[in-house]
Amino acid sequence: MSEHRRKPPPPQGGGRASARRAAQQPTPGRRTAPPSSSAAPGRGRGDEARSTGRTDARRASQRAVGAGGRRRSPDAGPGGPGRGRRDNGRPTAKRVIDYPRAGKQGARRWIPSWKLVTGLTFTLAALVVGIVGVALAVVQVPSAQKASVVQKNVYYWADGKQMVVAGGGSLNRQIVPISQIPKSMQNAVISAENASFEKDWGVDPMGIARAVVKMAQGGETQSGSTITQQFVKNTYLSQEQTLKRKATELLISVKVGATKDKDFILAGYLNTAYYGRGAYGIQAAARAYFDKDCADLTPSEGAFLSATLNGPNLYDPNGGQGPAATAEKNTKRATDRWKWTLDREVQVGRMDAAERDKWVAQGFPKVQKPKPATNRAGQIGYLTDLADNYIVAHSRISKAELDKGGYQIHTTFDRDKVDGLAKSVEEVRKANIKPKVRDVDQFVQFGGASVEPKTGKIVAIYGGENALEHFTNNSDYTGVQVGSTFKPFVLAAAMTHGKRNPALGPQQSLSQRTLVSPDSIYNGNNKLTLRDYRGKVWHDQNGGEWHQVNDGDEDKGLITLRTAMQFSVNTPFIQLGMDVGTDLVQEAALKAGLDKDQLASLTPTFSLGTSAPSAIRLAGAYATFAANGKQVDPYSVEKVEKDGKVAFQHEEKSAQAFDANVANNVTDVLKTVVESGTGTSAQLGNRPAAGKTGTTDGNRSAWFAGYTPQLSTAIGMYRVDPNAKKQEFLSMRGVGGKPTIHGASFPAEIWADYMGKALKGQPVLQFDAPQPIGEKVYGDGASPSPSAVPSASPSATPSASASPSPSKSPSGSPSPSRTCGVFDRKCKPGHNGGTTTGGTGGPGDSGGTGGDTGGLPSPTPTRPSGGGLFGGPEG
């Protein structure tokens, strides 16, 4: 080293340098300080050492306080308290993970350093890679087809005897090689389901992330699965929604994607996927929807079939299960998806725009109607479909799993009652309906259902002539309006909530209302001016007054509600609905057991039956009255088993819909209908029965619903051409050689014949006697003057004011001479004093939108498969 850079020697004198050297020496107690050459004369060495030691120690302590903000122990290292040495003087071991961080105060002690974060990140990544690597090495691809074997389901009658072996595999899978699957079909599925299929590794992390974000934002639920993942799930795994199953799926998908050819995977997916209608695989699907081999599918048909993979229940144009899957809604949904798929193929380069335009110009492909298995002839097909619908709607068993089969399904159906109901319908049909003699007798349909009041068991249904020829189950939702069979719910609401006080606002408590007695008086005259509960005249959307008509334009004068029900007079019940509030009438119907999706909008005619509940729902709602107000949902399946284990078990749920006395009073009024009103043809000899007739405008439908303490049954009748391009309900005038068809005719006749046979041998039970309820109120236009009011009468002896000829007004629907009716979709409001079909009410009037009847015949009246009883969601 050069001389000029060498450090000079330290000075030997005293002063500051001496003090610093003294401070750096060990504690005085351990070593004696060396003598200083600059000591003042006259002091001894001991005094000098003690003085220097104390001074140096004091200065060192002061420097520590000034630098760290607090006093450090003499042996504290330069890094802070406890760093380098402990209190005993031995070295401190350095921590591997410095957390909480030493030398930091407050919140800073708990904030990890960047070194710690980086280290943990790399450690975690290495751990995940290691675990995945081991898992991929250990996991084995299961044997193909093990989880995709198609079996049969076994259905049992209520008594435990076997009904039929059907379902699961009615369209058995036929594996076809990729060479027989049209390239256009492959392109449609890849474009719609997984555009990156030919490039991905079997999983798509970005797709999964997009699906999670989409669901988090409340958008449409997406699976985020690739074609490889779906193939793995369909072929090797169960359909359970668990993290374990999903993790296994991802691992196997990665391994399959790395070891299997893309053609193998795509063919496997198309051959194992579920397309609906019991069809597993593309070959079965081509036969189910187009009755052709898959090799002959056009690009348009392939685009449609790819849509069914997105959820066959919602994309089968024939309809699916639940009110969201009607034929109309499904057709629109499938058409939109079909068009989107063709556009998507162009977008990803798998189809030319010119070819897309050609198929779009030809329109949506024609899909054939489903063909049930041959062993489901007669009523069996309707029964098994009803059971399947119930299982899917009320259990965790999906339609796809059910169609794979292997289940033992124990139903509530009573074989004798099912056969008896079918026989009663066919006897009436054979004796009266002759389509070869009268053209008007063509397309006549019957539907019915029978329910136990106290249990909710559906013991019998009539779905149509033959499930192999008529595919719509007429016992379930059909869109057919029920007419005056709806009036008992208006009466129940009036006895539960009461008539509103005209001086108060629309939302009135029970104490402010007046409960209504069946002996209350209302004006039964024809073309009565309708008023809201305040007495204000109700107007239609054109400003015209609403004048309600009666059947046959008959004037009935001032009558009790009992008599109005007895002869199905419209004007008292539409006004009663306004006085109570149609919202509360709706509430009563829902509490009784009707489905909200099957109810019309809340216009005044709501009280006259513009709703279209199924026969099952109507029978179940009437069963609530038979059970003293206890409501139990109808059901068709007791238990489902698979592999010796219970997969589903029905659990009864009931609620007290109405006070028992309300229900008993409704029953007592409906007894009058059967004993001496419009329903006399439904009498059961000495067995008491209660019921109500119903007919809709234009004679488009006719109903009879009634019950005994043991059984509730509803029978409907209507006309509809299933092959017509524009579906609509047809008039039944002239059917069976009769001028008009009413609920009192063929429906009541069928009801009585069936109930007589179904209850044969059972004890004759009486209904519970009703107790007085409510007050005698006077509706608008009625007078409390004794001379002007007919005397009330019990059910056994109807009111003296009643018409001596009930057949003149058998229902609440209009006669052929009427120009404007309750249900008439073509009626112009305000013409000739007829019914206006709407009117906008003030707040609380429970009126609907002006001009909306809320109950027009459905443009697609044929039942969406599984719609009524099992509506809800789902989907």
Side-chain angles (χ1 to χ4, degrees):
M1 181 177 295
S2 62
E3 187 68 24
H4 68 275
R5 296 181 62 187
R6 183 177 298 146
K7 293 183 180 180
Q12 298 299 315
R16 295 179 182 175
S18 176
R20 282 198 300 270
R21 286 194 298 271
Q24 293 171 357
Q25 297 302 317
T27 306
R30 294 195 175 190
R31 175 180 287 182
T32 303
S36 174
S37 58
S38 60
R43 285 187 179 178
R45 290 190 174 183
D47 293 338
E48 181 181 315
R50 284 193 296 271
S51 175
T52 302
R54 286 194 297 269
T55 302
D56 293 343
R58 184 171 61 254
R59 290 175 178 173
S61 176
Q62 290 171 350
R63 284 197 300 271
V65 172
R70 67 178 185 177
R71 191 181 190 95
R72 281 192 277 181
S73 62
D75 62 342
R83 296 290 297 271
R85 291 181 181 272
R86 296 186 186 273
D87 291 342
N88 59 12
R90 286 179 293 180
T92 302
K94 187 176 182 180
R95 292 188 294 174
V96 176
I97 300 177
D98 183 21
Y99 192 82
R101 299 173 67 184
K104 303 294 182 182
Q105 305 301 319
R108 296 181 62 192
R109 284 172 53 81
W110 303 100
I111 300 176
S113 66
W114 67 269
K115 293 181 180 180
L116 181 61
V117 173
T118 304
L120 289 177
T121 300
F122 278 107
T123 301
L124 182 61
L127 186 62
V128 171
V129 170
I131 292 174
V132 171
V134 172
L136 286 173
V138 173
V139 71
Q140 298 296 319
V141 178
S143 175
Q145 308 303 324
K146 181 179 179 181
S148 54
V149 174
V150 177
Q151 304 177 60
K152 296 287 184 180
N153 291 324
V154 182
Y155 297 81
Y156 298 91
W157 295 103
D159 61 5
K161 294 182 180 179
Q162 184 173 301
M163 178 195 304
V164 66
V165 178
S170 59
L171 293 169
N172 289 319
R173 180 187 295 113
Q174 180 181 345
I175 305 298
V176 293
I178 193 70
S179 60
Q180 293 184 24
I181 302 175
K183 193 66 177 177
S184 61
M185 179 68 200
Q186 300 176 41
N187 288 334
V189 173
I190 293 174
S191 301
E193 298 283 323
N194 182 192
S196 64
F197 167 69
E198 293 175 338
K199 300 178 181 179
D200 63 41
W201 294 354
V203 295
D204 180 12
M206 292 302 297
I208 296 174
R210 284 194 301 270
V212 172
V213 171
K214 190 77 171 178
M215 288 186 287
Q217 292 175 344
E220 181 182 355
T221 301
Q222 297 178 343
S223 67
S225 297
T226 64
I227 287 177
T228 304
Q229 287 177 258
Q230 295 179 64
F231 163 62
V232 167
K233 181 176 65 175
N234 293 341
T235 308
Y236 305 122
L237 304 173
S238 69
Q239 303 296 313
E240 63 178 346
Q241 298 297 321
T242 63
L243 290 176
K244 179 182 177 182
R245 202 276 299 159
K246 191 66 177 177
T248 306
E249 173 194 308
L250 290 172
L251 290 173
I252 296 179
S253 296
V254 172
K255 196 161 190 175
V256 169
T259 60
K260 299 294 184 181
D261 183 79
K262 289 293 185 180
D263 281 349
F264 171 85
I265 296 172
L266 182 60
Y269 173 57
L270 294 175
N271 279 312
T272 58
Y274 182 65
Y275 297 78
R277 297 192 179 185
Y280 282 88
I282 184 60
Q283 174 64 17
R287 283 292 174 189
Y289 289 97
F290 300 109
D291 197 24
K292 61 170 64 174
D293 290 330
C294 71
D296 300 325
L297 290 171
T298 67
S300 178
E301 292 167 342
F304 161 72
L305 288 178
S306 73
T308 64
L309 295 174
N310 204 43
N313 185 61
L314 297 176
Y315 289 90
D316 186 341
N318 188 67
Q321 296 154 5
T326 65
E328 182 181 12
K329 292 178 180 178
N330 276 16
T331 299
K332 184 182 186 307
R333 194 180 289 119
T335 302
D336 291 344
R337 180 75 178 184
W338 162 80
K339 176 64 167 55
W340 176 87
T341 301
L342 293 175
D343 291 340
R344 177 68 172 166
E345 290 186 69
V346 174
Q347 181 182 352
V348 299
R350 292 183 177 272
M351 178 182 283
D352 293 334
E355 185 180 6
R356 182 269 316 274
D357 295 341
K358 180 186 73 172
W359 293 115
V360 171
Q362 291 184 12
F364 186 72
K366 184 177 181 181
V367 177
Q368 69 177 1
K369 293 184 177 180
K371 296 179 179 180
T374 55
N375 62 348
R376 296 193 182 193
Q379 298 302 304
I380 297 298
Y382 303 125
L383 295 170
T384 55
D385 281 347
L386 201 64
D388 288 351
N389 294 345
Y390 189 83
I391 292 169
V392 173
H394 294 84
S395 76
R396 296 183 178 180
I397 303 172
S398 68
K399 186 66 168 65
E401 291 175 304
L402 193 61
D403 282 345
K404 281 186 179 180
Y407 293 95
Q408 292 78 49
I409 300 168
H410 300 265
T411 74
T412 61
F413 305 129
D414 184 307
R415 181 169 190 168
D416 291 338
K417 290 181 173 65
V418 169
D419 291 343
L421 181 55
K423 187 176 181 180
S424 295
V425 174
E426 295 309 319
E427 286 178 351
V428 168
R429 182 189 294 277
K430 184 177 180 180
N432 301 280
I433 311 302
K434 303 181 185 298
K436 295 182 180 180
V437 177
R438 293 178 292 268
D439 288 342
V440 73
D441 284 6
Q442 295 184 60
F443 315 127
V444 173
Q445 297 293 331
F446 292 94
S450 195
V451 176
E452 284 187 0
K454 294 182 179 180
T455 66
K457 293 180 181 179
I458 304 173
V459 296
I461 63 168
Y462 182 83
E465 291 186 75
N466 189 337
L468 298 184
E469 299 173 0
H470 175 74
F471 307 127
T472 298
N473 186 346
N474 296 343
S475 71
D476 211 337
Y477 180 71
T478 57
V480 179
Q481 297 173 350
V482 295
S484 292
T485 57
F486 199 82
K487 289 175 181 174
F489 306 118
V490 185
L491 182 60
M495 291 191 291
T496 300
H497 298 286
K499 181 179 182 294
R500 286 180 285 190
N501 187 335
L504 302 177
Q507 303 301 324
Q508 300 178 20
S509 65
L510 187 61
S511 61
Q512 295 173 315
R513 293 169 173 254
T514 303
L515 296 185
V516 177
S517 163
D519 296 329
S520 296
I521 307 300
Y522 272 75
N523 193 330
N525 282 333
N526 186 50
K527 297 182 180 178
L528 187 70
T529 301
L530 183 64
R531 301 175 184 273
D532 65 15
Y533 80 95
R534 301 183 186 91
K536 296 174 58 178
V537 174
W538 191 273
H539 294 83
D540 61 49
Q541 78 275 21
N542 296 323
E545 292 186 357
W546 185 310
H547 297 282
Q548 183 59 49
V549 297
N550 286 327
D551 179 56
D553 291 329
E554 291 189 337
D555 289 321
K556 291 293 186 178
L558 299 181
I559 55 176
T560 64
L561 292 176
R562 180 187 297 276
T563 303
M565 185 78 76
Q566 182 181 3
F567 298 111
S568 204
V569 186
N570 282 341
T571 48
F573 280 97
I574 194 171
Q575 186 59 59
L576 180 63
M578 299 297 287
D579 292 346
V580 175
T582 51
D583 56 338
L584 294 179
V585 174
Q586 180 191 61
E587 178 185 300
L590 293 174
K591 284 186 174 181
L594 297 188
D595 192 304
K596 189 172 184 178
D597 291 327
Q598 299 171 6
L599 297 184
S601 57
L602 297 182
T603 62
T605 54
F606 180 79
S607 299
L608 300 181
T610 54
S611 298
S614 66
I616 293 173
R617 283 290 183 184
L618 188 59
Y622 270 50
T624 300
F625 296 129
N628 306 107
K630 176 185 175 183
Q631 191 273 328
V632 184
D633 273 343
Y635 71 100
S636 57
V637 176
E638 291 281 8
K639 180 174 61 174
V640 179
E641 297 176 312
K642 187 173 186 179
D643 298 329
K645 298 180 180 178
V646 176
F648 167 75
Q649 178 74 55
H650 170 74
E651 296 181 4
E652 180 180 317
K653 295 180 180 179
S654 62
Q656 194 67 33
F658 306 110
D659 180 83
N661 197 38
V662 169
N664 294 341
N665 271 275
V666 171
T667 295
D668 191 60
V669 172
L670 296 183
K671 281 176 61 182
T672 308
V673 176
V674 175
E675 292 169 354
S676 55
T678 60
T680 54
S681 54
Q683 292 178 358
L684 300 175
N686 66 336
R687 188 183 296 274
K692 183 70 186 75
T693 55
T695 311
T696 57
D697 186 55
N699 233 201
R700 291 184 176 90
S701 64
W703 289 81
F704 186 83
Y707 53 91
T708 68
Q710 299 105 314
L711 201 59
S712 176
T713 301
I715 304 294
M717 177 181 178
Y718 59 97
R719 285 184 70 217
V720 63
D721 180 1
N723 300 315
K725 186 174 182 179
K726 182 179 180 181
Q727 294 282 285
E728 61 180 351
F729 295 107
L730 306 173
S731 174
M732 293 191 293
R733 291 180 181 131
V735 168
K738 296 181 177 293
T740 57
I741 299 296
H742 296 93
S745 55
F746 298 142
E749 184 180 340
I750 293 170
W751 186 93
D753 186 65
Y754 160 71
M755 291 288 281
K757 290 182 291 189
L759 296 171
K760 186 176 181 180
Q762 295 191 29
V764 176
L765 301 181
Q766 303 295 323
F767 293 112
D768 289 350
Q771 300 301 313
I773 191 171
E775 301 178 22
K776 180 187 288 187
V777 302
Y778 295 86
D780 181 70
S783 168
S785 172
S787 61
V789 179
S791 60
S793 57
S795 61
T797 56
S799 170
S801 67
S803 169
S805 177
S807 62
K808 291 182 180 180
S809 57
S811 77
S813 65
S815 69
S817 63
R818 203 178 78 185
T819 59
C820 194
V822 175
F823 307 90
D824 192 349
R825 65 187 300 182
K826 298 179 181 179
C827 178
K828 299 298 182 182
H831 283 210
N832 301 323
T835 304
T836 61
T837 53
T840 304
D845 284 348
S846 302
T849 304
D852 180 8
T853 65
L856 300 180
S858 168
T860 54
T862 50
R863 181 188 73 83
S865 176
L869 170 61
F870 310 98
E874 56 14 315

